[in-house]
Amino acid sequence: MRILTWNIRGLGSKLKVSAVNKIIRDNKVEMAFLQETKKESFSEQEVGRLWFDDDFEFQFAKATGRSGGVLTIWDKKKFEAEKSLVASRYVIISGKWVDDNCYFTFINIYAPCEKLGKQLLWDEIVTLRSSWQYPWIMGGDFNAIRARKERKGSGVKYPGIEDFNSFIEKCKLLEIPLCGRNFT
């Protein structure tokens, strides 16, 4: 299972679209979680420029003005979607991973920066968690950290650490080590 999650900070330029396509193609990505697309809509043609072939499906949550936007794309030979839910800050897709004959729920998130907005989102997702029966795989930009050491060189206090860790615990999530580029 090859999943890419990337805050792309806008999909408005041909150069960005080309870069996304290259990473998806070169890494044989089977599902992509893109956040902060800054787009209010996507056509099949536009998403096709991001993907490496014509065998894909997608769901998106539109951006509001010039912020936000979430796009989830998957190889429909690898994943058969059964159920989906799109909200302003996330896309949830549930179905069968074909190669392993296993069922999963995938959730792509772009959390707000402000503490209250994050808390409302965490509460909503915790509530949803119980109504989706398959194991969850979650990715995205949470605009949160789990520990102070994740933000090197900053003396700023991060009051949301406890809330974010509580959210992870309530959803019964395990952190999978990231590979590739560093993150902040």
Side-chain angles (χ1 to χ4, degrees):
M1 194 180 301
R2 290 181 179 262
I3 301 170
L4 167 73
T5 182
W6 186 4
N7 180 327
I8 54 175
R9 294 185 175 87
L11 263 178
S13 74
K14 289 181 182 179
L15 186 62
K16 184 73 68 89
V17 169
S18 181
V20 171
N21 174 274
K22 180 173 175 29
I23 287 176
I24 287 174
R25 190 174 7 93
D26 290 353
N27 292 284
K28 299 176 177 80
V29 170
E30 297 165 329
M31 183 171 283
F33 294 168
L34 304 177
Q35 304 87 38
E36 208 173 356
T37 64
K38 299 183 180 183
K39 289 184 63 77
E40 292 184 11
S41 66
F42 283 96
S43 69
E44 193 164 328
Q45 217 174 23
E46 288 174 298
V47 177
R49 288 187 203 105
L50 297 167
W51 206 246
F52 55 88
D53 67 15
D54 293 334
D55 246 354
F56 67 88
E57 291 183 322
F58 69 97
Q59 287 282 342
F60 70 93
K62 69 180 184 172
T64 305
R66 295 185 40 84
S67 68
V70 173
L71 174 62
T72 303
I73 315 167
W74 63 94
D75 183 335
K76 65 183 183 182
K77 294 182 305 280
K78 299 287 184 177
F79 182 70
E80 295 173 354
E82 295 178 348
K83 176 178 161 184
S84 67
L85 175 65
V86 176
S88 63
R89 296 247 174 216
Y90 58 84
V91 171
I92 302 176
I93 311 288
S94 192
K96 182 170 90 171
W97 199 264
V98 176
D99 290 349
D100 300 324
N101 198 30
C102 293
Y103 292 82
F104 294 99
T105 297
F106 295 93
I107 180 167
N108 180 6
I109 294 175
Y110 179 64
C113 292
E114 65 281 351
K115 184 177 177 172
L116 178 60
K118 275 190 267 222
Q119 190 59 57
L120 292 171
L121 179 63
W122 300 157
D123 292 346
E124 184 177 341
I125 290 171
V126 166
T127 301
L128 284 170
R129 176 72 176 96
S130 62
S131 64
W132 293 70
Q133 66 186 33
Y134 305 138
W136 277 31
I137 295 176
M138 187 180 299
D141 185 343
F142 298 92
N143 280 312
I145 58 172
R146 298 198 65 197
R148 292 179 109 193
K149 66 182 179 184
E150 291 181 19
R151 294 279 164 96
K152 294 179 183 167
S154 175
V156 178
K157 289 187 176 190
Y158 296 98
I161 290 174
E162 295 82 18
D163 295 337
F164 188 45
N165 284 320
S166 175
F167 161 71
I168 290 168
E169 189 176 307
K170 287 176 186 173
C171 284
K172 298 180 178 142
L173 299 173
L174 302 173
E175 188 171 7
I176 297 172
L178 298 176
C179 62
R181 298 185 67 183
N182 291 336
F183 64 98
T184 58

